[in-house]
Structure formats: structure tokens, C-alpha cells
Amino acid sequence: MNWIDLSIVVVYLIGTTLFGCSFFFRKKEGDGAKNFMTGGGKLPTWAIALSVFATHVSSISFLALPEGAYGPDCWRGWVNSITVPIATLVAAVWFIPFYRKSTDVSSYTFLERRYGVWARVYSSLCFLVMQSARSGVILLLLAILVNQLLGISCEAIIVVTGVLTMLYAMMGGFAAVVWADAIQSLILIGGTIVCVACLLVFTPDVTVQTKAAWDAGKMSLGSLTLSDWGTNTFWVLLFYSLCINLQNFGVDQSFTQRYVAAKSAKAAARSIFASACLYVPVTLLFTVIGTLLWMYGRANPGTIPEGIRPASVFPWFIIHKLPTGVSGLLVAAIIAAAMSTIAATLNSGSTVLLEDYWKRFRPQATSDRGNVVFLRLMTVALAFVSVGIALAVVWCTTDMTILSAWWALQGVLSGGMLGLFLLSMVSRRARGTAAALATALALLTIAYITFGQRVLPLPVPLHTNLSIVFGTLVLVVSGMAFGIFIKGGRNADIAA
């Protein structure tokens, strides 16, 4: 990349970091810890909407969707986006009113009142593990891409990006995260639109090539058969994505923290609807980029290097074919997608550690000043964990292996979390003992679908992505059934 593109990337990194850190020096009123976690409840709806969008989109989406569309997966990755409006509607009707009525910042606090301390620790620990792993994967995928573009070592990219994100998340708190997310999301959207426009200009006979892509099945969302549940068909992906997005908008602290930070319940609902209105078309553009790359290669035989992996086509196009300045904008957009998600994870993770562990088990040691110090220390600690995870697997040479492992891990960790929250919403009879037994049964179901089928195969094989679907169903149904016969355990009166 030339000095202009490099300058754009450097200016973006330095500018974002300084902007986020500047919130440390701004005058704040009231509880310092609450301001760090929620921004004082004074953030505008549009900024929260852009922040939710930026948190939802990461470098995983930016890189995996074009790769899948260019390769054999076609448009199957976009099936996830189809379920986002459904998840936001459920969140607006059920979850947002519930969280707004609660005085708790953490989304896992009420589980202790309902089922006991084990439920709170289990759910919050799942969140911390899943989000730390996600941040590590995002840093790793970003490092692989930037390494291809700039030639900088993956280790250096991981450390620099992780440390800069940590700095502004640690110093500026939630307000810095939201406002930086808003700026980063605009860079992301702008870079995506420019990339699509360039591909359309560079591809001759776009109409002819579009028909060829359609005839070749490059816009397929997957098989519609109802008899195959062992492969990633449209229906497998649809049910998996619905559960994942319900988990995101209903359970994930990175999202629910924004419900509490909004000025009102209506403002929170408007913010997630607005984020969905951005997420669906922008991820469609990510997918279209992959298809356009295929059309570009077909229309210009021999241009794309022979034998290049699908994961490397998009980086190759950015560095070799985009005009000066546009390449730098695209790299900045991809870095923005990574930093925005990681910053939200660091802030929400430190909030969970404070609310669900420090204040819960050391209440005598808490003070507002001490809480702020703890939040900042935990932000640093979580950043080091994420960087460590990325560095630990940096030797991996194929990001598809990493992505597959991430999807499997997300399904395993999310199944019990989502099911436990849904059980608390739909059943008042299920108490602590019933919920614990149902959670154990759900985890056994998830473990069997993920690993057990290799030893004791089912008559009809189930894809690993269905582990979260059946795990959630088993937990909710068995929890309701156990609740009829088992009365032991805590069961606070929680309004659904």
C-alpha cells in the first residue's frame, strides 16, 4: 500500500484512540461507576443505534460473508441477517421492558433472585468466556487480513489493535465506546458502499454477469429440503441464526447494557430497530461484494491469481485493484469493525465482573471510586485475555478453521444461556432446582449433538449448529415440566 493509504489507516487509529480517551477528561455528574457502565443515560438514540449496529458487525462478518459468497457457500451466510428483525421485535416486546423495569445494570443479576446464585454465575461466566473468545477471533482474523495487505506481522497487529482499543475503552468508558462506535459504523458503511461501487465499475457487462451468477447458483441461500438436517441447509441456518440473534438481543450484556443506557424504553426500542434496518442491508452488501468478486473474475479471466483461496480474494482486490485512498478507507473500515466490537466487549465484560462478582461477593469492599478503578483494571485484564487468545492461535493458517470453531463454540455457550432466560420469561412455576436440572439436561443435549453423534449416531444426523436450537428447546420444555413437580429453590416474582 502507498503512503496515502497508510496515512489514512494511521490517522484513523490515532484519531479514534485520542477521541475515545478524551472522554476521560470531560466533566461528569453523579455516580462515576454508573457513568462508566451506562454513560449516565444521556446518550442520543441515533448514537446508541449506530453503536448496536457496530457491536453486531465485526471483522468476522466483513471477511466471512464476502469469502462465503465468492466460494461455495454463496449467500448462505446472509441467512443470519434475515432473522435479525424478528429478534429485535421480540426484544422490543419482551426484553427491553423487562430490563428497563429492573434497576440492575447486569443482565444476569435477576437470575440469582429467580433461581439462585448458580444461575447468575453460570450465565455471566458463559458470557465472559464467549465474548473473550469472540474478541480473540476478531483480532486474529483482522491480523491475518492486515498482514496480507501491509506485510506487518500478525503478532504486532494483534497487540497494537488490542492495546489501542483497550486505551479508549478503559479511559472513556461506555460513552467513549458508543460515540467511537458511531463514528466507526459510518466509516464501515462508507467503505462498504465505495467497494461495491468500484466492483460495479470494474466489472464489464454487469447485467450479463449477474445472470451468469444467478444461473450458477451464486445467490443461493442454501438447500430448502426438509429431509436433510445434517448439513448447513437454509432451514438449519435459519433456526440457528434465530437462536443466536435472540441470544444477542435478549441475553448478551453487550446489547442489553444499551437498553439501560437509553433515555427511555421507547428510545431503546427505536435504537435496536434502527440498528436492524442498517444491519440487514449492510450485511447484504458484504455478501454482494463476494458475488461481485466472482463476477469480476469471470468477466476478466486470468486477473485473479490462479489457485488463490476464497479467503484471500477480497484482500487481494483491496490491495491490487482499488484506487489510491479507497484501499486505505477499506482497511480502516475493517479495523473499525473489529475495534467497535472489541470495545463493547471490554466495557460490558468489566461491567459483568463488577456487578456479578466483585459487588456480589465483596460488597463490603465497594465504593464508587473503588468501583471505577475496578472497572478500568478489568477492562485492561479482559483486553490482555483477548490479545492472549489471538496470539495463542496465531499459528493457524486457515481462518475458515477458526471461523468454524467459533460458530461451534458460540452455539455451545449460548444454548444454556438463552434457554435459561426464556424459561424465566415463560414459566413462573420453574424454580431453582427445576431450572438447574433443566440446564444440566440442555448441556447434555448440546454436548451430544456437538460430540456424541460421532460415538452414537442418530438415525437422522443433526448438524452441530442445531445444538443451540435443541439445547434451548430442551431447557425450556424440561424446565416447565420439572417446575410442575419440583418446588425447591428460589423463585422471585419476576414480571414477564
Side-chain angles (χ1 to χ4, degrees), residues 63 67 141 144 309 311 396-404:
L63 300 175
E67 175 188 355
L141 289 176
I144 292 172
R309 295 183 302 122
C396 293
T397 57
T398 164
D399 43 1
M400 277 305 294
T401 301
I402 299 166
L403 279 172
S404 299

Side-chain angles (χ1 to χ4, degrees), residues 160-178:
V160 170
T161 307
V163 168
L164 291 180
T165 307
M166 175 201 72
L167 278 175
Y168 80 77
M170 181 265 294
M171 293 185 67
F174 186 78
V177 171
V178 169

